[in-house]
Amino acid sequence: MAPSLLGGFTKSLAMTVLSEIGDKTFFAAAILAMRYPRKLVLAGCLTSLTVMTALSVSLGWVAPNLISRKWTHHVTTLLFFVFGILSLWEGFKEDGDSEELAEVEAELDANFKSNKAESKSKSKANDDKKKQKRPFVLQFFSPIFIKAFSITFFGEWGDKSQIATIGLAADENPFGVVLGGVLAQALCTTAAVMGGKSLASQISEKMVGLSSGVLFLLFGIMSYLSGPEGEL
């Protein structure tokens, strides 16, 4: 029996929401939205996360064609248990303070100040002239859009949620995983951009870690009990 669309969608939606809330890219989107136009920040972050989700699911979809589905299923099950234990461990270690928010804010502050110093050295006339000469594509993909895209993309690359998405796509319906992942990313990123730092500071990293740990372990148990596709 083929993996169901609904199963892939619901698992991907739940996993991505709990993985992304309180994540580094979530805090980055909230802080960027305080300093730059929200529409550009939201567009850059969402585009980046959509591309990342599509790439991750593509890798997961290809995996069963390279090695047997039985082995990809076992690897996915193992990843769920490992990430569950790691998330619980990180949750128990958290003291309640949003250390990651402060860390991301400090990094972006340093970057923002350096960019501000550079921009002051340029005259408004030169800026207007450059804007007029800028090709149409670069006018659409403004420096703010590119900045939001790149910060989100490289912040998400190799992250726990990306690896989990690859594993989920290898074991579930890839189309369902894409839909659930993109919807979850859209919800989390929109909340971060609209809520800003005030919302981000209210998030308990401890509770997010514990909740995502429990969810990963639950998925691991479900995956273990279901067995590889086609296996009774």
Side-chain angles (χ1 to χ4, degrees), residues 94-148:
E94 288 291 342
D95 57 6
D97 296 328
S98 188
E99 295 177 3
E100 192 157 16
L101 173 60
E103 186 180 316
V104 172
E105 189 172 18
E107 289 177 10
L108 292 178
D109 271 337
N111 183 266
F112 181 72
K113 286 176 182 176
S114 63
N115 288 343
K116 196 173 181 181
E118 287 178 10
S119 64
K120 281 184 178 179
S121 64
K122 298 177 182 178
S123 66
K124 190 174 184 298
N126 287 338
D127 285 343
D128 292 339
K129 190 176 180 181
K130 285 183 180 181
K131 189 173 182 180
Q132 289 174 0
K133 290 183 178 180
R134 188 185 297 166
F136 173 76
V137 174
L138 289 182
Q139 286 183 29
F140 180 74
F141 294 108
S142 70
I144 297 170
F145 177 94
I146 295 171
K147 184 173 187 176

Side-chain angles (χ1 to χ4, degrees), residues 4-211:
S4 71
L5 177 70
L6 183 60
F9 174 81
T10 52
K11 284 185 178 180
S12 179
L13 179 67
M15 180 192 72
T16 306
V17 166
L18 284 177
S19 296
E20 290 305 314
I21 290 181
D23 187 62
K24 187 174 183 179
T25 52
F26 180 90
F27 291 138
I31 295 168
L32 286 172
M34 294 168 58
R35 296 168 182 170
Y36 303 108
R38 288 181 176 179
K39 288 182 180 179
L40 288 175
V41 172
L42 182 61
C45 291
L46 279 182
T47 303
S48 177
L49 291 168
T50 301
V51 170
M52 179 63 72
T53 301
L55 284 174
S56 301
V57 172
S58 298
L59 290 172
W61 177 72
V62 168
N65 297 317
L66 301 178
I67 57 177
S68 70
R69 183 165 290 278
K70 178 180 178 180
W71 281 106
T72 57
H73 177 84
H74 291 327
V75 170
T76 301
T77 302
L78 179 62
L79 282 174
F80 282 143
F81 281 117
V82 170
F83 289 155
I85 294 169
L86 288 176
S87 296
L88 287 175
W89 176 253
E90 290 170 1
F92 282 122
K93 284 199 305 179
E94 288 291 342
D95 57 6
D97 296 328
S98 188
E99 295 177 3
E100 192 157 16
L101 173 60
E103 186 180 316
V104 172
E105 189 172 18
E107 289 177 10
L108 292 178
D109 271 337
N111 183 266
F112 181 72
K113 286 176 182 176
S114 63
N115 288 343
K116 196 173 181 181
E118 287 178 10
S119 64
K120 281 184 178 179
S121 64
K122 298 177 182 178
S123 66
K124 190 174 184 298
N126 287 338
D127 285 343
D128 292 339
K129 190 176 180 181
K130 285 183 180 181
K131 189 173 182 180
Q132 289 174 0
K133 290 183 178 180
R134 188 185 297 166
F136 173 76
V137 174
L138 289 182
Q139 286 183 29
F140 180 74
F141 294 108
S142 70
I144 297 170
F145 177 94
I146 295 171
K147 184 173 187 176
F149 181 96
S150 58
I151 288 174
T152 304
F153 188 88
F154 292 111
E156 197 70 17
W157 187 263
D159 190 66
K160 185 168 54 182
S161 61
Q162 187 208 8
I163 299 172
T165 300
I166 295 173
L168 193 62
D171 210 39
E172 296 289 340
N173 185 293
F175 190 56
V177 175
V178 168
L179 289 177
V182 170
L183 177 59
Q185 299 282 15
L187 291 172
C188 292
T189 307
T190 302
V193 170
M194 297 304 172
K197 187 181 174 182
S198 59
L199 174 63
S201 62
Q202 297 300 316
I203 293 173
S204 169
E205 293 180 31
K206 186 180 185 72
M207 288 304 300
V208 170
L210 293 175
S211 299

